[in-house]
Amino acid sequence: MCSASATGELGSTGRVVETMIPRRLDRLPWSRWHWMIVVGLGITWILDGFEVTLVGALASVLTNSDTLHLSTQQASSLGTWYLLGAVGGALFFGYLTDRLGRKKLFMVTLGVYLVFTVASGLAWNFWSLAIFRILAGAGIGGEYAAINSAIDELIPARVRGRVALAISGSWWFGTAAAAFLSYEFLSNIRETISWRLGFFIGAILALGILTIRRFIPESPRWLVTHGRADEAERVVGEIEEAVRKTHPNLPEPEGEPIAIEQRRHINFLDISKYVIKNYPARGVLGLALMSGQAFLYNAIFFTYTLVLHDFFGVKSSDAPLYLIPFAVGNIAGPLLLGPLFDSVGRRVMISSTYIISGVLLIITGVLFTQDVLSATTMTICWCVIFFFASAGASAAYLTVSELFPLEARAMAIALFYSIGTGIAALSPTIFGALIATHSKTNVNYGYLLGAGLMIAAGIVAIFLAVNAERRALEDIAKPFTAAHDWAASRKRRVAATAH
């Protein structure tokens, strides 16, 4: 149902639409179509895990005289350059995602990543590699905003938590693949070309996934808020037809229609003011969660081969093997704990996973400085820590994607990802400098900082986390374009007409 709007502000199309589109999407049974969404969009996490791990696994190799002959600090700083690119890409492409749509941007950002990952494999010195890592990172940073928005808006509310955590956990499939390939390349192929081949593998994976993404539709939720209600209805109809191939009798949608005042373009400043005014506590929560997990992950994963090599005497070619069991633990965390985020609830699970992982890291740091650990037992400790930390980190992305209005969702993801990652961007460089001192005590200072940030974020979650489990996105945060008084005014008009 449409009607002229009472306002013409903020790019309004002059129409209010009552729609059941969110309710229709949320009531759909799980189907082959949803699996296509998971595979086609979730690949971003695998690619990022592959990139982060690959650079970490190759860090010590790139310091050799027959490769790029980087210093230890230059090799560890490659992670920082990648993260800085991701920050810029998230902000730039995140803005475009909310303005131009999810589908256009998740095709563009994957293309950017593909091109500059190939370029990374062709680098000839430190600065050329650093620049290409910045640009590849920009593609991945932009992916996060477009992908997480689309996933949340297409996945049914009742399973949104576990699906989002499982997709985030797939980061570790990329990690395991990179660890295995790094070992194979470094063991069986000359170092002068093996590191280059690693980058090319990521590009091939991205090229393959582009073909799948052609079949993923634009978010109907985004379309209906941007003056394209007819197109949104058509897309939802096509989705329902695809689901009916395996579930012929779809359940009826539940709940009331949502009234949306359609706008083609929404000023980001107005959205920012709206979010700051109405959701300040959620902003603090998102910042704490993203910063804590970003520092912990980036510090350890961009430098883990350097720790194994410098403190435990592990050969550069063997170091990637230690990450494979590590990755298994990280995959298991979101898969096994994920359902609890939908049943026990977000508040309990987010706070507990953050605090437990922080406490375990403190214990590991003490054992590390006391020379109690070997390379194997250090890896086991990391596995246990990140069983919990991986579920918590995945929940951080879920939190910032579901707690803000639809029109600001991609920018919210981009903003918190950028701030959190920006704060943590120097962590690989800091850890590289600490490792270069060859002092376990100094390295442990970095572990203590990461543990403190995780515990602090967990405490913030105890007080500020939102019980978003099994709730529709529009019920957690009303769309900025929601016509708040529309239903009441319509009833008054109907009553007046009857008399």
Side-chain angles (χ1 to χ4, degrees), residues 240-263:
E240 289 172 333
E241 283 302 310
V243 174
R244 282 194 183 96
K245 292 179 181 178
T246 51
H247 298 82
N249 300 314
L250 298 181
E252 290 298 318
E254 298 179 357
E256 296 294 321
I258 297 172
I260 298 293
E261 185 176 1
Q262 295 182 310
R263 293 174 170 87

Side-chain angles (χ1 to χ4, degrees), residues 209-417:
I209 212 65
L210 275 174
T211 61
I212 297 177
R213 286 193 178 175
R214 293 187 299 114
F215 301 102
I216 297 176
E218 179 59 85
S219 165
R221 283 176 155 108
W222 183 87
L223 289 170
V224 79
T225 62
H226 286 73
R228 298 162 65 178
D230 292 340
E231 186 177 350
E233 288 286 344
R234 177 181 59 77
V235 170
V236 172
E238 292 173 353
I239 293 172
E240 289 172 333
E241 283 302 310
V243 174
R244 282 194 183 96
K245 292 179 181 178
T246 51
H247 298 82
N249 300 314
L250 298 181
E252 290 298 318
E254 298 179 357
E256 296 294 321
I258 297 172
I260 298 293
E261 185 176 1
Q262 295 182 310
R263 293 174 170 87
R264 296 191 184 282
H265 301 300
I266 305 172
N267 184 284
F268 178 60
L269 180 60
D270 289 318
I271 293 179
S272 300
K273 291 178 180 177
Y274 177 82
V275 170
I276 292 171
K277 179 181 178 181
N278 291 279
Y279 303 107
R282 297 182 182 188
V284 173
L285 174 66
L287 179 60
L289 296 181
M290 294 297 286
S291 299
Q293 64 86 27
F295 187 94
L296 181 69
Y297 271 84
N298 296 330
I300 290 179
F301 284 103
F302 280 109
T303 60
Y304 86 97
T305 57
L306 297 174
V307 171
L308 293 174
H309 181 270
D310 289 9
F311 293 103
F312 297 107
V314 176
K315 292 192 300 183
S316 298
S317 59
D318 293 338
L321 288 179
Y322 287 84
L323 191 56
I324 294 176
F326 193 8
V328 172
N330 278 270
I331 293 170
L335 289 178
L336 296 179
L337 299 179
L340 298 178
F341 284 79
D342 282 328
S343 56
V344 175
R346 306 285 202 262
R347 185 187 303 272
V348 172
M349 292 305 300
I350 292 174
S351 59
S352 61
T353 52
Y354 268 74
I355 292 172
I356 290 172
S357 59
V359 171
L360 290 175
L361 181 57
I362 292 174
I363 295 172
T364 298
V366 172
L367 297 176
F368 175 66
T369 57
Q370 296 299 315
D371 295 323
V372 174
L373 302 175
S374 64
T376 299
T377 53
M378 185 74 172
T379 302
I380 292 172
C381 288
W382 278 339
C383 288
V384 177
I385 291 168
F386 285 93
F387 174 84
F388 295 99
S390 60
S394 299
Y397 287 93
L398 171 64
T399 297
V400 298
S401 67
E402 69 183 359
L403 295 188
F404 296 94
L406 182 147
E407 300 85 350
R409 181 163 296 124
M411 274 308 303
I413 296 169
L415 184 62
F416 287 109
Y417 172 83

Side-chain angles (χ1 to χ4, degrees), residues 361-499:
L361 181 57
I362 292 174
I363 295 172
T364 298
V366 172
L367 297 176
F368 175 66
T369 57
Q370 296 299 315
D371 295 323
V372 174
L373 302 175
S374 64
T376 299
T377 53
M378 185 74 172
T379 302
I380 292 172
C381 288
W382 278 339
C383 288
V384 177
I385 291 168
F386 285 93
F387 174 84
F388 295 99
S390 60
S394 299
Y397 287 93
L398 171 64
T399 297
V400 298
S401 67
E402 69 183 359
L403 295 188
F404 296 94
L406 182 147
E407 300 85 350
R409 181 163 296 124
M411 274 308 303
I413 296 169
L415 184 62
F416 287 109
Y417 172 83
S418 298
I419 294 175
T421 303
I423 291 172
L426 290 176
S427 59
T429 301
I430 293 171
F431 262 72
L434 294 174
I435 292 168
T437 67
H438 302 290
S439 167
K440 289 186 175 182
T441 300
N442 288 343
V443 173
N444 189 43
Y445 290 146
Y447 290 151
L448 290 174
L449 177 58
L453 289 172
M454 290 294 284
I455 292 171
I459 294 172
V460 170
I462 292 175
F463 296 99
L464 300 183
V466 176
N467 297 320
E469 55 273 8
R470 301 183 303 278
R471 296 172 60 192
L473 294 173
E474 291 75 15
D475 295 333
I476 300 170
K478 287 188 178 297
F480 183 71
T481 47
H484 300 286
D485 299 324
W486 176 253
S489 63
R490 183 167 67 89
K491 289 181 180 179
R492 289 194 296 270
R493 289 195 302 274
V494 171
T497 302
H499 287 88

Side-chain angles (χ1 to χ4, degrees), residues 176-200:
F180 175 75
L181 288 173
S182 298
Y183 172 75
E184 289 295 319
F185 287 168
L186 295 177
S187 300
N188 302 309
I189 303 175
R190 286 184 303 166
E191 290 181 349
T192 52
I193 62 172
S194 60
W195 67 272
R196 299 182 186 275
L197 293 178
F199 288 114
F200 296 157

